[in-house]
Amino acid sequence: MEETQSPVQAAVKPGLTIGLISLALTYIIYFVNSSLLISGWFGFAALIIFFVLIFYFGRQYRTEIGGFIDFGSAFKFSFVAILISGIVSTLGQILLYQVVDPSLPQVLAEQTMQNTLATMESFGASADAMSPEQLDEMRTGIEDGFTLTGQLKGFGIAIIIYAIVALIVAAILKKRDKSLDY
């Protein structure tokens, strides 16, 4: 009789796969046009791909274990897969921003600042209404997000988001065997 993997063991391979796909997309976009890394459509497309993959692998695992999975097992599988994916992606981004192209964070921070000011103006707020200190504080905050410390802090915050996403995925993936009801 074949022994099934625990949800944690089963989540390792999908987590690595999703993380590597995310990383490949990031590096492809970087080589095509690095300014696209901060565009909204890239983030949205990456999010859609991420959700499709996590649901695909979750359903695949559910099928492998007999077609039924309880909420706790679905949560463990989803959270571990998402966490591993996040670790791989974060390590790849650290490599990109700190080793491959150390000037990229400055470029992206400046573009993010310009996009933020343009968005404020589209809502009727003028950048001229902000003091130079406020603009410098905003710029520093954006730049800090691209530093090694900023990326690690971002990953720490992302773990909370990963748990929430895993709860949602688990609620959708769970399926109980109704034949066991009395």
Side-chain angles (χ1 to χ4, degrees), residues 52-144:
V52 166
L53 288 173
I54 196 66
F55 281 119
Y56 170 77
F57 287 120
R59 287 183 58 124
Q60 187 178 37
Y61 175 64
R62 184 177 71 190
T63 302
E64 287 174 9
I65 61 171
F68 303 101
I69 190 169
D70 62 61
F71 180 81
S73 295
F75 174 74
K76 287 177 193 173
F77 174 85
S78 301
F79 182 69
V80 170
I82 294 169
L83 183 65
I84 290 171
S85 169
I87 290 169
V88 169
S89 182
T90 300
L91 290 175
Q93 288 176 5
I94 288 171
L95 183 67
L96 176 63
Y97 296 148
Q98 309 303 322
V99 178
V100 174
D101 190 352
S103 66
L104 182 62
Q106 188 68 28
V107 172
L108 294 179
E110 186 58 38
Q111 289 175 343
T112 301
M113 184 70 177
Q114 291 172 2
N115 291 350
T116 302
L117 294 175
T119 302
M120 287 173 50
E121 288 176 5
S122 73
F123 285 109
S126 173
D128 296 334
M130 295 180 73
S131 70
E133 293 82 22
Q134 289 173 317
L135 290 172
D136 287 341
E137 186 177 323
M138 185 186 301
R139 181 173 279 109
T140 301
I142 293 169
E143 289 172 355
D144 286 348

Side-chain angles (χ1 to χ4, degrees), residues 9-88:
Q9 293 169 326
V12 172
K13 187 176 178 184
L16 288 172
T17 302
I18 294 169
L20 290 173
I21 289 171
S22 170
L23 202 52
L25 288 174
T26 300
Y27 276 80
I28 289 169
I29 293 297
Y30 165 71
F31 288 118
V32 170
N33 182 355
S34 63
S35 66
L36 295 175
L37 288 171
I38 58 169
S39 72
W41 74 265
F42 173 68
F44 184 70
L47 191 63
I48 296 297
I49 291 169
F50 170 78
F51 274 112
V52 166
L53 288 173
I54 196 66
F55 281 119
Y56 170 77
F57 287 120
R59 287 183 58 124
Q60 187 178 37
Y61 175 64
R62 184 177 71 190
T63 302
E64 287 174 9
I65 61 171
F68 303 101
I69 190 169
D70 62 61
F71 180 81
S73 295
F75 174 74
K76 287 177 193 173
F77 174 85
S78 301
F79 182 69
V80 170
I82 294 169
L83 183 65
I84 290 171
S85 169
I87 290 169
V88 169

